Amino acid sequence: MTTEPIRWGILGAANFALQHMGRAIHAAEGAELVALATSSAEKARPFKAFCPSLKVHDSYDALLADPAIDAVYVPLPNHLHVEWTLKAMDAGKHVLTEKPIAMTAGEIDALIARRDETGLLATEAYMIVHHPQWQRAKAMLADGAIGELVHVDGVFTYFNPDMGNIRNDASKGGGGIPDIGVYTYGSTRWMTGQEPEEITQADLDFEAGVDVVARVAARFPGFTAHWVNSMRMHPWQHMSFHGTEGVIRLTAPFNANVFDQAEVELHQDGMGRRVERFPGINQYVLQVQNFGRTVREGAAYPWTLEDAKGTQALIDAVYAKGGRG
């Protein structure tokens, strides 16, 4: 077991990498942000402002060939995720790739096979499972705090009418479901450990080939779920798990500290409402630190490629039910 920091490189100067993940890697214990791949000096400049020692490669291949890099973060457009995750593993790098890691569930099989062949850690950047609010909520559900689970309700929306934005570009894997449906769908699966038996509703609105409003319902063994995701609605988010004896509600389940403070509410008959708060926790930093522990110590990682495949299979089933625009 080594105590050396994991040396990271980033493929592409994406805005999300600049605002969140690059800074998280730079701040995380046991991690060192070493390099960025971009051909644009202008795009590299703000990264170097917070990480002056950053080495800039002018191509993705050059970064992957750099022996000083142990792990790669991939924030490229959705349709490029599988290709560059495979290339990163072929270059001997551990890899953390933004969600959705693939455009269909079947594509993830190649990633699983390459991961198993190489022994490298390759996974999807599904940051919410690293946040203690979700770990606490999952423990409450498992401990029977709300009795038997009957229904899950989830909402995640924001307003993005900019047709020049990549999320509105069908050719690059855009759409509200790939962008934020992964969170309402995946968190339901992660909390319960169950897979849907049937998609009972998929009412989808499309613009320019991407879903912009999605109202989806599913039946799981023992409970039902309903999720609303949209890129054309006022920003809002919550997740509720409604049982026979109570309700668990997360008030800022996905963008903690951005949408609102992370809080887990427990509503029980005769007990009123109990609120647990989780202020100031950076789930992106925790994600990087847990990645490092898995690489260095072999610690279990809370979100695997198999987990990502399950959520993508649910997304595939939603599109099969409601169409693709």
Side-chain angles (χ1 to χ4, degrees):
M1 183 178 71
T2 180
T3 58
E4 292 296 316
I6 304 299
R7 300 168 299 178
W8 286 83
I10 300 175
L11 289 189
N15 187 60
F16 188 81
L18 172 62
Q19 298 299 328
H20 295 287
M21 280 302 298
R23 296 174 191 274
I25 294 168
H26 189 57
E29 295 180 8
E32 182 181 355
L33 181 56
V34 172
L36 170 71
T38 177
S39 59
S40 169
E42 182 179 350
K43 289 183 178 180
R45 193 171 297 115
F47 286 86
K48 291 181 72 69
F50 69 84
C51 185
S53 63
L54 191 69
K55 182 177 181 180
V56 179
H57 291 284
D58 63 4
S59 73
Y60 303 155
D61 288 318
L63 186 145
L64 293 182
D66 188 341
I69 295 170
D70 305 308
V72 173
Y73 169 61
V74 181
L76 299 173
N78 294 345
H79 69 300
L80 299 176
H81 287 176
V82 169
E83 175 188 355
W84 286 98
T85 301
L86 289 170
K87 287 183 176 180
M89 284 190 280
D90 288 344
K93 313 299 186 188
H94 304 283
V95 56
L96 179 67
T97 300
E98 264 309 320
K99 53 76 196 166
I101 200 167
M103 299 313 302
T104 65
E107 292 179 306
I108 300 177
D109 290 336
L111 302 181
I112 292 172
R114 197 69 52 86
R115 176 202 65 191
D116 293 346
E117 291 167 7
T118 61
L120 296 164
L121 175 58
T123 191
E124 184 180 63
Y126 201 67
M127 75 292 182
I128 64 171
V129 299
H130 303 274
H131 198 293
Q133 69 166 334
W134 276 104
Q135 294 160 7
R136 178 63 177 137
K138 187 173 185 177
M140 285 180 177
L141 183 64
D143 290 343
I146 61 170
E148 295 296 319
L149 180 63
V150 178
H151 184 72
V152 176
D153 181 71
V155 174
F156 191 4
T157 63
Y158 65 93
F159 191 68
N160 176 16
D162 177 9
M163 298 311 293
N165 186 278
I166 196 170
R167 293 169 182 82
N168 287 307
D169 189 338
S171 69
K172 294 181 170 59
I177 293 174
D179 190 38
I180 53 178
V182 294
Y183 292 120
T184 51
Y185 305 171
S187 62
T188 301
R189 295 180 51 255
W190 187 79
M191 276 280 287
T192 64
Q194 293 193 22
E195 305 295 344
E197 297 176 323
E198 180 187 4
I199 304 300
T200 56
Q201 176 194 18
D203 182 5
L204 313 180
D205 296 346
F206 290 88
E207 293 179 17
V210 300
D211 61 280
V212 296
V213 183
R215 313 157 193 88
V216 175
R219 181 169 292 280
F220 288 73
F223 71 93
T224 55
H226 185 263
W227 309 290
V228 175
N229 296 106
S230 177
M231 303 193 296
R232 297 294 190 274
M233 293 170 68
H234 179 77
W236 193 253
Q237 57 185 260
H238 74 83
M239 288 292 297
S240 297
F241 299 82
H242 198 151
T244 55
E245 300 173 19
V247 175
I248 296 168
R249 182 171 183 264
L250 293 88
T251 60
F254 310 122
N255 297 127
N257 298 326
V258 177
F259 176 74
D260 203 350
Q261 177 175 255
E263 296 182 351
V264 177
E265 301 175 351
L266 177 60
H267 301 253
Q268 294 173 309
D269 188 27
M271 298 288 289
R273 181 184 68 152
R274 190 175 79 202
V275 180
E276 297 184 25
R277 298 178 174 88
F278 302 84
I281 294 172
N282 188 317
Q283 58 194 350
Y284 303 107
V285 170
L286 294 179
Q287 177 176 242
V288 174
Q289 291 177 172
N290 285 338
F291 191 99
R293 291 189 188 100
T294 298
V295 170
R296 290 193 305 270
E297 305 167 19
Y301 196 77
W303 188 258
T304 65
L305 289 176
E306 286 81 1
D307 292 319
K309 182 179 177 181
T311 298
Q312 188 60 52
L314 200 164
I315 291 173
D316 294 349
V318 169
Y319 282 134
K321 181 80 170 181
R324 287 187 176 267

